[in-house]
Amino acid sequence: MLEGKKIILGVCGSIAGYKSATLVRLLVKAGAQVQVVMTKDATGFITPLTLSTLSKKPVLVDYYKNDTGEWNNHVELGLWGDLMLIAPASANTMAKMATGLCDNLLMAVYLSAKCPVYFAPAMDLDMWKHESTQTNVAKLVKYGNTLIPPGSGELASGLSGEGRMSEPEEIVDFLSTEIKKKLPLNHKKVLVTAGPTYEAIDPVRFIGNHSSGKMGFAIAAQLVKLGADVTLVTGPTALKSGMGIKRIDVTSAAEMLEACTANFPNTNACVMSAAVADYTPVTVASQKIKKQDAGFNIELKKTTDILKTLGGMKQPGQVLAGFALETNDEEQNAIGKLQSKNLDFIVLNSLNDKGAGFRTDTNKITIIDRDLQKTVYDLKSKDDAAIDICNKVTALLTA
């Protein structure tokens, strides 16, 4: 949820400032860009050098740089951030936030911020419980800021109770959950298939195809960005799935069928992009077949059509999409597949289009829906093609 997000992290004067190092590291690890803004008091608890090293950006403390006089533009910073997080938020800083007192760079950035603001208080038990602090917290929430509640435990004073800043891992989880709540596919479960299947001939050899799985993996990653809970059933591939994806590895068409039929009933949508084998050997040799005769025949039988099976299981409200990779009569074949398998839309691509098909980083797709409305897209990266496909899924699920 935090990948690519631009985060302004405000660090205030508090013993909990040492947690800021871990917080910055976790945010950067999650793929966020982090700009740290510190109060002068905060630099007494943790050095700007530490946080600049972890964030890979200069830490800002003053309105301007003493050596050059260059202005640290708080207005630009307020526009830059996708979200602002003040952690630790001291009682002093929260009082300034509540009253609009602006006597340092952090407060100037806060008052200029156009993005959502989160604050994680850190102070001793009596300070946290004091009526003035609670009044300021209530004001901040009323202003539209989001409180990340403090935890309970041993405090720096030696007392034990509420007031300690939430742990960095808890803050990252909190931010991810809050961001996900606002995404269009939050609480939606989507099943995606990807890659080839391998149909064993003997312990060494198999029948397979050239699918790399890139398209399905790109779709799964984009669905996560839209807030969906994604289950990815993938055939053999060297690709790595990203965070937030429940991955199920399979080898054969029969294994993919089992995984899909087990997971499909509990999903809101399914995008079947895997290149599943249409045929599998009738008999699998228990030992490696030796090369002897000039000719060699393998008897094959049809595999179960997974897409058609799911189409027969589909309930009202579920969205089911398939792929059609064609070499001739492309549109006619795709429409036939769309209608015979009870799909909501089909993604057509042709091996006649340069840059489309297996083992490429690009794809050229046409989406045809059940009303036979056709949308033709230009050649794009598979990541961008995934956006088009997932936008169609989103439109159907949120209609």
Side-chain angles (χ1 to χ4, degrees):
M1 291 299 101
L2 296 173
E3 185 175 0
K5 297 295 184 185
K6 293 177 284 188
I7 299 176
I8 304 166
L9 175 61
V11 181
C12 306
S14 165
I15 189 63
Y18 77 91
K19 294 183 179 180
S20 300
T22 302
L23 182 56
V24 171
R25 184 179 61 81
L26 291 175
L27 291 172
V28 170
K29 186 178 180 181
Q33 299 180 53
V34 182
Q35 176 60 67
V36 178
V37 182
M38 302 178 73
T39 65
K40 287 185 178 180
D41 283 345
T43 63
F45 291 93
I46 185 168
T47 67
L49 177 60
T50 298
L51 299 183
S52 65
T53 301
L54 293 170
S55 66
K56 300 178 177 60
K57 288 180 179 291
V59 168
L60 306 180
V61 179
D62 299 304
Y63 285 108
Y64 60 91
K65 300 174 183 176
N66 291 324
D67 53 344
T68 64
E70 184 181 352
W71 179 32
N72 290 321
N73 192 326
H74 60 278
V75 175
E76 285 186 1
L77 270 171
L79 293 171
W80 174 83
D82 293 315
L83 67 89
M84 184 173 188
L85 167 64
I86 301 177
S90 65
N92 183 50
T93 291
M94 289 194 300
K96 293 177 182 180
M97 292 167 67
T99 58
L101 181 61
C102 185
D103 64 352
N104 59 41
L105 179 61
L106 176 58
M107 284 307 305
V109 174
Y110 164 70
L111 292 173
S112 302
K114 302 296 184 184
C115 57
V117 177
Y118 301 83
F119 64 104
M123 63 200 72
D124 209 74
L125 172 64
D126 294 330
M127 295 172 67
W128 172 247
K129 292 294 186 182
H130 198 282
E131 187 175 353
S132 61
T133 301
Q134 292 302 307
T135 298
N136 290 333
V137 170
K139 281 185 180 180
L140 294 180
V141 172
K142 183 181 178 182
Y143 294 161
N145 304 303
T146 301
L147 168 68
I148 302 177
S152 294
E154 185 178 351
L155 303 169
S157 64
L159 297 175
S160 183
E162 195 174 16
R164 61 186 295 164
M165 187 179 99
S166 292
E167 296 303 317
E169 294 82 0
E170 295 170 341
I171 292 174
V172 171
D173 287 344
F174 185 98
L175 293 177
S176 296
T177 300
E178 287 295 305
I179 291 170
K180 190 173 181 181
K181 285 179 184 177
K182 301 170 185 176
L183 296 175
L185 295 184
N186 183 38
H187 296 313
K188 301 295 185 184
K189 295 181 180 180
V190 185
L191 176 66
V192 180
T193 65
T197 64
Y198 290 172
E199 308 304 317
I201 298 171
D202 61 23
V204 176
R205 304 175 182 88
F206 61 85
I207 299 171
N209 58 61
H210 297 297
S211 174
S212 65
K214 290 179 180 179
M215 191 71 253
F217 275 66
I219 291 168
Q222 179 60 24
L223 287 167
V224 169
K225 290 180 181 179
L226 291 169
D229 294 325
V230 178
T231 298
L232 174 65
V233 179
T234 178
T237 175
L239 299 177
K240 293 182 179 180
S241 49
M243 294 175 64
I245 296 173
K246 176 187 174 184
R247 176 169 172 165
I248 301 173
D249 288 285
V250 299
T251 301
S252 66
E255 291 171 349
M256 186 167 284
L257 172 67
E258 181 180 359
C260 288
T261 53
N263 285 275
F264 182 68
N266 298 318
T267 61
N268 300 102
C270 175
V271 182
M272 295 284 294
S273 67
V276 184
D278 294 319
Y279 293 90
T280 190
V282 172
T283 303
V284 178
S286 59
Q287 301 294 330
K288 179 183 175 182
I289 300 170
K290 299 298 183 181
K291 181 170 63 177
Q292 294 177 345
D293 300 329
F296 178 62
N297 294 317
I298 302 174
E299 185 180 0
L300 302 176
K301 62 181 179 181
K302 270 191 174 183
T303 58
T304 301
D305 189 325
I306 302 175
L307 192 54
K308 190 168 185 177
T309 299
L310 298 186
M313 296 170 60
K314 186 160 75 82
Q315 298 296 312
Q318 280 187 304
V319 172
L320 180 60
F323 273 66
L325 176 60
E326 303 292 342
T327 59
N328 62 285
D329 301 323
E330 290 95 334
E331 192 171 318
Q332 180 181 342
N333 288 333
I335 291 173
K337 191 173 184 179
L338 168 76
Q339 294 175 331
S340 67
K341 300 185 182 185
N342 192 25
L343 308 183
D344 293 281
F345 70 91
I346 194 159
V347 181
L348 166 64
N349 49 15
S350 172
L351 285 180
N352 294 318
D353 291 326
K354 187 177 180 181
F358 293 141
R359 291 184 176 176
T360 66
D361 292 322
T362 57
N363 208 353
K364 187 178 187 306
I365 66 169
T366 298
I367 292 179
I368 306 172
D369 66 22
R370 64 188 312 132
D371 297 322
L372 303 187
Q373 296 297 310
K374 181 174 68 172
T375 307
V376 180
Y377 297 90
D378 295 329
L379 181 69
K380 299 182 178 183
S381 70
K382 284 186 174 176
D383 288 338
D384 287 339
I387 292 174
D388 295 326
I389 294 165
C390 294
N391 284 344
K392 183 67 175 179
V393 173
T394 302
L396 292 172
L397 285 178
T398 58

